[in-house]
Amino acid sequence: KKVLFSGMQATGNLTIGNYLGALKNWVNIGDEYECFFSVVDLHSITVRQDPATLRKRARELLTLYIAAGLDAEKNCIYYQSHVSAHAELSWILNCFTYMGELNRMTQFKDKSAKNADNINSGLFTYPVLMAADILLYQTDVVPVGIDQMQHLEIARDIGTRFNSIYGDVFTIPEIYMGKVGRKIMSLQEPSKKMSKSDENPNGSIYLTDEPDAIIRKFKRAVTDSGSDVIYSEDKPGIKNLIDIYCAITGKETKEVEKEFDGKGYGDFKLAVGETVMDCLKPIQDKQKELLKDKQYIDGVIKNNAEKANYFATKTLRKVQRKVGFPDRV
Ligand code: TYM
């Protein structure tokens, strides 16, 4: 079987952008692959975190993966910090990555502008750790949203560079993105990505939002002039709502235009809100139920960390040998 790797940060409140751009695709295509889904807590501390909150959110995120439909027996669902090979490979790859390459990363520029008082070197080498995550498992495919594209490209570049020096050590991964949902926009400012860190809570639908909040936010969503539900670049607000609707229902944009032909924006916004609500409710319920089952979740954490360690260590040993570290005796 081919290998799939992806990860998510347990920082902030997850949005339907995270769900539709990533998690939902993991569930959709995962069966065809040997899968590794990580809660990437090493990445999280590139921004200052409250320890108790980080720990709590990490557990909630790991549980969410399962609640969203990933089988914890078939998929390796684990904490990045429980597999030390991520940090070790990351160090080695740092020595094969140029400052100039990292300087071009737009996410670093954005994040350092937002965190001017804490531009640490972890934030700068963040993409190298991400490359290590992926390359450690000999990953074939990485399902992510479009905002991770640049990071995926640098991971491929680092892997290719290493291979060209030492022979075929790493599989070079491909990116996977869904047809729709690869970039969900803010409901209040459709030119901006929907984001966990948006100050305006009305712009984002959080995965923890209650039904009435979901409906209210969709009713208030910014729409465009005119009144027809048409999928067009000139109508970024409506286009975004159609994307959300299509990503959940699997319908084509043309079908949606037909479905709402002659109906106004109001009816459409309500329909999207209800669809999102119906989609999130069972996941939320399942997550709550799972969080109570301490023994089960602890078992998943322990077993999967062992499994991830096994595969990651295999690659790490090979790399250590290639670069010239002494053999273990
Ligand atoms: P993170 O935690 O910011 O986001 C998790 C996933 O959600 C996707 N996403 C979106 N997709 C569509 N529309 C949006 N508005 C939206 N917002 C977020 C992201 O593209 C991502 O797929 N660096 C990564 C985590 C990571 C990783 C990895 C991913 C670490 N190592 C290795 C893949 C492979 C991140 O911070 O994602």
Side-chain angles (χ1 to χ4, degrees), residues 33-56:
Y33 298 90
E34 175 79 39
C35 295
F36 296 86
F37 298 113
S38 191
V39 171
V40 293
D41 43 6
L42 299 180
H43 280 104
S44 293
I45 63 164
T46 54
V47 175
R48 204 72 76 223
Q49 304 291 336
D50 170 60
T53 310
L54 178 61
R55 205 170 351 259
K56 178 166 174 283

Tab-separated table of all heavy atoms in Angstrom, residues 33-56:
chain	number	residue	atom	x	y	z
A	33	TYR	N	-4.795	3.942	1.480
A	33	TYR	CA	-3.389	4.124	1.867
A	33	TYR	C	-3.096	3.563	3.256
A	33	TYR	O	-3.991	3.346	4.050
A	33	TYR	CB	-3.044	5.621	1.887
A	33	TYR	CG	-3.178	6.310	0.552
A	33	TYR	CD1	-4.397	6.886	0.178
A	33	TYR	CD2	-2.115	6.388	-0.321
A	33	TYR	CE1	-4.537	7.527	-1.049
A	33	TYR	CE2	-2.237	7.027	-1.550
A	33	TYR	CZ	-3.450	7.584	-1.906
A	33	TYR	OH	-3.580	8.217	-3.116
A	34	GLU	N	-1.813	3.410	3.510
A	34	GLU	CA	-1.313	3.212	4.871
A	34	GLU	C	-1.170	4.626	5.447
A	34	GLU	O	-0.368	5.408	4.944
A	34	GLU	CB	0.060	2.513	4.787
A	34	GLU	CG	0.781	2.344	6.087
A	34	GLU	CD	0.232	1.158	6.875
A	34	GLU	OE1	-0.091	0.129	6.255
A	34	GLU	OE2	0.113	1.296	8.106
A	35	CYS	N	-1.958	4.952	6.474
A	35	CYS	CA	-2.059	6.369	6.869
A	35	CYS	C	-1.409	6.711	8.199
A	35	CYS	O	-1.510	5.960	9.173
A	35	CYS	CB	-3.517	6.779	6.974
A	35	CYS	SG	-4.383	6.747	5.415
A	36	PHE	N	-0.790	7.878	8.230
A	36	PHE	CA	-0.259	8.472	9.458
A	36	PHE	C	-0.859	9.860	9.626
A	36	PHE	O	-0.688	10.711	8.747
A	36	PHE	CB	1.274	8.567	9.391
A	36	PHE	CG	1.939	7.230	9.319
A	36	PHE	CD1	2.134	6.599	8.092
A	36	PHE	CD2	2.339	6.576	10.475
A	36	PHE	CE1	2.727	5.345	8.023
A	36	PHE	CE2	2.941	5.323	10.416
A	36	PHE	CZ	3.130	4.703	9.183
A	37	PHE	N	-1.570	10.044	10.733
A	37	PHE	CA	-2.169	11.351	11.018
A	37	PHE	C	-1.631	11.839	12.344
A	37	PHE	O	-1.868	11.232	13.384
A	37	PHE	CB	-3.690	11.249	11.060
A	37	PHE	CG	-4.296	10.814	9.754
A	37	PHE	CD1	-4.934	9.586	9.643
A	37	PHE	CD2	-4.225	11.629	8.633
A	37	PHE	CE1	-5.487	9.173	8.435
A	37	PHE	CE2	-4.774	11.227	7.423
A	37	PHE	CZ	-5.409	9.999	7.328
A	38	SER	N	-0.912	12.947	12.281
A	38	SER	CA	-0.210	13.409	13.468
A	38	SER	C	-0.855	14.672	14.040
A	38	SER	O	-1.366	15.508	13.301
A	38	SER	CB	1.246	13.689	13.084
A	38	SER	OG	2.017	13.905	14.224
A	39	VAL	N	-0.830	14.769	15.358
A	39	VAL	CA	-1.154	16.034	16.027
A	39	VAL	C	0.197	16.710	16.228
A	39	VAL	O	1.010	16.236	17.034
A	39	VAL	CB	-1.862	15.779	17.372
A	39	VAL	CG1	-2.010	17.071	18.164
A	39	VAL	CG2	-3.223	15.114	17.142
A	40	VAL	N	0.461	17.758	15.458
A	40	VAL	CA	1.841	18.249	15.367
A	40	VAL	C	2.158	19.269	16.473
A	40	VAL	O	2.279	20.470	16.243
A	40	VAL	CB	2.170	18.812	13.959
A	40	VAL	CG1	2.155	17.690	12.937
A	40	VAL	CG2	1.209	19.904	13.536
A	41	ASP	N	2.357	18.742	17.675
A	41	ASP	CA	2.578	19.630	18.818
A	41	ASP	C	3.961	20.289	18.808
A	41	ASP	O	4.132	21.364	19.378
A	41	ASP	CB	2.298	18.908	20.148
A	41	ASP	CG	2.860	17.501	20.206
A	41	ASP	OD1	3.568	17.088	19.263
A	41	ASP	OD2	2.604	16.810	21.210
A	42	LEU	N	4.945	19.674	18.141
A	42	LEU	CA	6.247	20.346	18.052
A	42	LEU	C	6.103	21.655	17.279
A	42	LEU	O	6.720	22.662	17.610
A	42	LEU	CB	7.286	19.465	17.347
A	42	LEU	CG	7.660	18.117	17.959
A	42	LEU	CD1	8.708	17.437	17.091
A	42	LEU	CD2	8.184	18.271	19.369
A	43	HIS	N	5.276	21.628	16.249
A	43	HIS	CA	5.052	22.849	15.482
A	43	HIS	C	4.343	23.915	16.317
A	43	HIS	O	4.577	25.111	16.135
A	43	HIS	CB	4.214	22.556	14.228
A	43	HIS	CG	5.003	21.969	13.102
A	43	HIS	ND1	4.958	20.633	12.771
A	43	HIS	CD2	5.867	22.531	12.223
A	43	HIS	CE1	5.763	20.416	11.739
A	43	HIS	NE2	6.324	21.543	11.395
A	44	SER	N	3.482	23.469	17.203
A	44	SER	CA	2.664	24.436	17.953
A	44	SER	C	3.473	25.386	18.809
A	44	SER	O	3.091	26.538	18.991
A	44	SER	CB	1.662	23.698	18.844
A	44	SER	OG	0.724	23.034	18.047
A	45	ILE	N	4.614	24.907	19.341
A	45	ILE	CA	5.338	25.793	20.256
A	45	ILE	C	6.205	26.831	19.542
A	45	ILE	O	6.920	27.579	20.187
A	45	ILE	CB	6.172	25.007	21.298
A	45	ILE	CG1	7.262	24.163	20.626
A	45	ILE	CG2	5.272	24.134	22.174
A	45	ILE	CD1	8.336	23.698	21.621
A	46	THR	N	6.102	26.898	18.211
A	46	THR	CA	6.761	28.012	17.518
A	46	THR	C	6.066	29.325	17.868
A	46	THR	O	6.605	30.405	17.630
A	46	THR	CB	6.738	27.819	15.982
A	46	THR	OG1	5.394	27.597	15.566
A	46	THR	CG2	7.597	26.638	15.573
A	47	VAL	N	4.841	29.196	18.391
A	47	VAL	CA	4.132	30.348	18.937
A	47	VAL	C	3.914	30.032	20.410
A	47	VAL	O	3.667	28.875	20.761
A	47	VAL	CB	2.770	30.536	18.215
A	47	VAL	CG1	1.965	31.644	18.848
A	47	VAL	CG2	3.000	30.798	16.734
A	48	ARG	N	4.060	31.027	21.293
A	48	ARG	CA	3.960	30.743	22.725
A	48	ARG	C	2.606	30.145	23.081
A	48	ARG	O	1.574	30.646	22.635
A	48	ARG	CB	4.187	32.032	23.520
A	48	ARG	CG	4.667	31.778	24.924
A	48	ARG	CD	6.117	31.289	25.038
A	48	ARG	NE	7.095	32.342	24.834
A	48	ARG	CZ	8.200	32.189	24.106
A	48	ARG	NH1	8.455	31.044	23.509
A	48	ARG	NH2	9.045	33.180	23.971
A	49	GLN	N	2.621	29.053	23.867
A	49	GLN	CA	1.376	28.368	24.245
A	49	GLN	C	1.272	28.273	25.761
A	49	GLN	O	2.280	28.127	26.448
A	49	GLN	CB	1.369	26.933	23.687
A	49	GLN	CG	1.548	26.801	22.202
A	49	GLN	CD	0.363	27.318	21.419
A	49	GLN	OE1	-0.758	27.373	21.913
A	49	GLN	NE2	0.612	27.736	20.191
A	50	ASP	N	0.047	28.266	26.238
A	50	ASP	CA	-0.183	27.930	27.634
A	50	ASP	C	-0.140	26.399	27.729
A	50	ASP	O	-0.885	25.712	27.025
A	50	ASP	CB	-1.558	28.452	28.077
A	50	ASP	CG	-1.925	27.919	29.440
A	50	ASP	OD1	-1.184	28.193	30.391
A	50	ASP	OD2	-2.926	27.195	29.539
A	51	PRO	N	0.754	25.850	28.567
A	51	PRO	CA	0.973	24.400	28.576
A	51	PRO	C	-0.302	23.568	28.803
A	51	PRO	O	-0.549	22.606	28.084
A	51	PRO	CB	1.968	24.185	29.723
A	51	PRO	CG	2.621	25.510	29.925
A	51	PRO	CD	1.656	26.559	29.513
A	52	ALA	N	-1.105	23.958	29.786
A	52	ALA	CA	-2.296	23.161	30.088
A	52	ALA	C	-3.274	23.202	28.915
A	52	ALA	O	-3.888	22.195	28.562
A	52	ALA	CB	-2.966	23.686	31.361
A	53	THR	N	-3.382	24.370	28.302
A	53	THR	CA	-4.301	24.504	27.167
A	53	THR	C	-3.819	23.683	25.980
A	53	THR	O	-4.609	23.009	25.315
A	53	THR	CB	-4.413	25.990	26.752
A	53	THR	OG1	-4.694	26.763	27.923
A	53	THR	CG2	-5.500	26.200	25.733
A	54	LEU	N	-2.519	23.733	25.724
A	54	LEU	CA	-1.979	22.976	24.597
A	54	LEU	C	-2.237	21.478	24.791
A	54	LEU	O	-2.675	20.782	23.876
A	54	LEU	CB	-0.476	23.243	24.432
A	54	LEU	CG	0.216	22.461	23.310
A	54	LEU	CD1	-0.390	22.791	21.946
A	54	LEU	CD2	1.711	22.737	23.286
A	55	ARG	N	-1.988	21.009	26.016
A	55	ARG	CA	-2.171	19.587	26.300
A	55	ARG	C	-3.633	19.179	26.098
A	55	ARG	O	-3.930	18.144	25.505
A	55	ARG	CB	-1.732	19.285	27.736
A	55	ARG	CG	-1.327	17.863	27.946
A	55	ARG	CD	-0.655	17.525	29.271
A	55	ARG	NE	-0.282	18.604	30.137
A	55	ARG	CZ	0.959	19.085	30.256
A	55	ARG	NH1	1.943	18.576	29.544
A	55	ARG	NH2	1.214	20.077	31.084
A	56	LYS	N	-4.519	20.019	26.563
A	56	LYS	CA	-5.950	19.723	26.446
A	56	LYS	C	-6.375	19.723	24.972
A	56	LYS	O	-7.064	18.821	24.497
A	56	LYS	CB	-6.723	20.788	27.236
A	56	LYS	CG	-8.227	20.676	27.180
A	56	LYS	CD	-8.860	21.549	28.272
A	56	LYS	CE	-10.369	21.596	28.165
A	56	LYS	NZ	-10.848	22.488	27.089
